[in-house]
Amino acid sequence: RRQFPAVTVNQPVPPPFYTAVAMIKDGNTIVSEARKRIFVPQVVKVEMALGTPELFSKQLVYTNSATGETEVLMHVPNAPDVITLAHTVATNIQMRLPSETNVRVVGPNQNVLGDCKTLTLTTTNNAAGASKPEFMKFMNTSVKGVAYIDIGFMHKALLASRHKAETDAVSKNFWDALPRPIALNNIVNYIVFGGTHETGHTMGLFAEELGGVGWHYIDEADKAHIMYPRFGIFKYLGLDTQPTWKTLDEEYLRFILPAAEKEKP
């Protein structure tokens, strides 16, 4: 299962394929030869840390700072078990990866031979719920690709967004249209888009279009894409325009992880 070797500065990324060669010889003479290129998928395994499922069943309560009134933002008393939830996340991340990209996202109960990249749903406060900094460097300078989605950070983001709705009309409109407690499918949507974004980091993508500039220079119209981390919680929840891949990000992933050999023009 493909695990990117460490990348040397100014050297190409090792190719994600092997060439199998079969030969028939008569003495030292090659009578017949056949070659087949075998493309190796990059496996990403979705795991869940201990204690994470309890955050779904625990009530997330918001208290209005002006009135003191409380409301339950999140409560999933019948949340699926760890394996089912992680498998659902893995399946949905797979669907959101660019087509013709040789990446396989699997759940925790699927056996993976050898190393693979991992995406862990956790309750530990990693930096902004994101990949650890050493795994966010361009381009994939670490052999191990490890990413995290912090459910505790999601709670904080929901509370902050709900507080913003007290004074911000746009946020208020979204919250007014959002049934509470927030449905499980919206919560899963949040985790899936966050997980897709973090998976992109493990493949060497920045939080901007490949070859572009820092996120704070990106034009407002360009912010609704997967690798842009600040496009709003409602997009994560699936309640606003869904983030997509930018062209260069897609082409980069297809280039480093081709699913098949491209036909020559």
Side-chain angles (χ1 to χ4, degrees), residues 219-261:
D219 184 78
E220 195 73 26
D222 289 337
K223 289 184 178 179
H225 63 89
I226 296 280
M227 294 310 298
Y228 181 80
R230 295 174 174 82
F231 48 62
I233 196 168
F234 297 107
K235 293 184 186 295
Y236 268 102
L237 290 171
L239 302 168
D240 195 4
T241 305
Q242 297 293 276
T244 57
W245 289 97
K246 296 202 81 174
T247 302
L248 287 181
D249 287 344
E250 280 191 303
E251 291 305 314
Y252 168 79
L253 291 176
R254 290 190 182 112
F255 175 73
I256 64 169
L257 285 164
E261 193 165 7

Side-chain angles (χ1 to χ4, degrees), residues 24-35:
I24 299 175
K25 286 187 173 182
D26 182 4
N28 292 325
T29 304
I30 299 174
V31 177
S32 180
E33 178 180 308
R35 292 173 178 261

Side-chain angles (χ1 to χ4, degrees), residues 14-247:
F17 58 80
Y18 296 98
T19 301
V21 181
M23 291 184 290
I24 299 175
K25 286 187 173 182
D26 182 4
N28 292 325
T29 304
I30 299 174
V31 177
S32 180
E33 178 180 308
R35 292 173 178 261
K36 182 177 178 60
R37 184 163 286 179
I38 302 170
F39 289 85
V40 184
Q42 171 63 66
V43 175
V44 179
K45 191 168 188 176
V46 178
E47 299 179 335
M48 188 171 291
L50 292 175
T52 304
E54 285 74 10
L55 285 183
F56 289 88
S57 56
K58 178 183 176 181
Q59 287 192 0
L60 178 65
V61 179
Y62 173 73
T63 303
N64 189 296
S65 59
T67 66
E69 296 178 345
T70 61
E71 61 177 296
V72 178
L73 300 186
M74 178 174 157
H75 182 216
V76 187
N78 299 314
D81 61 84
V82 174
I83 300 297
T84 301
L85 185 60
H87 181 74
T88 299
V89 171
T91 300
N92 280 273
I93 289 176
Q94 183 74 68
M95 292 169 57
R96 284 166 174 78
L97 290 172
S99 61
E100 301 177 4
T101 301
N102 206 7
V103 180
R104 295 180 189 173
V105 188
V106 301
N109 62 334
Q110 291 176 275
N111 187 37
V112 178
L113 301 177
D115 287 333
C116 64
K117 296 181 185 292
T118 58
L119 172 68
T120 302
L121 277 61
T122 180
T123 60
T124 306
N125 286 319
N126 298 301
S131 306
K132 291 183 178 180
E134 61 265 32
F135 301 118
M136 296 173 71
K137 296 176 182 176
F138 186 82
M139 21 179 312
N140 198 62
T141 54
S142 174
V143 175
K144 280 288 186 183
V146 183
Y148 300 89
I149 291 294
D150 191 333
I151 307 302
F153 177 80
M154 179 179 73
H155 280 191
K156 294 177 184 178
L158 287 169
L159 290 170
S161 175
R162 181 63 187 89
H163 177 71
K164 183 179 179 181
E166 292 183 19
T167 56
D168 181 80
V170 175
S171 294
K172 184 178 184 301
N173 288 338
F174 275 112
W175 278 102
D176 286 347
L178 177 61
R180 265 95 75 195
I182 298 170
L184 178 61
N185 66 303
N186 294 116
I187 297 168
V188 169
N189 201 84
Y190 181 105
I191 296 170
V192 166
F193 273 111
T196 306
H197 171 99
E198 301 306 335
T199 298
H201 284 316
T202 70
M203 305 296 173
L205 291 176
F206 268 129
E208 63 218 40
E209 184 173 11
L210 183 66
V213 293
W215 68 265
H216 51 287
Y217 295 121
I218 296 175
D219 184 78
E220 195 73 26
D222 289 337
K223 289 184 178 179
H225 63 89
I226 296 280
M227 294 310 298
Y228 181 80
R230 295 174 174 82
F231 48 62
I233 196 168
F234 297 107
K235 293 184 186 295
Y236 268 102
L237 290 171
L239 302 168
D240 195 4
T241 305
Q242 297 293 276
T244 57
W245 289 97
K246 296 202 81 174
T247 302

Side-chain angles (χ1 to χ4, degrees), residues 37 261-265:
R37 184 163 286 179
E261 193 165 7
K262 291 186 177 180
E263 294 184 6
K264 296 181 180 180

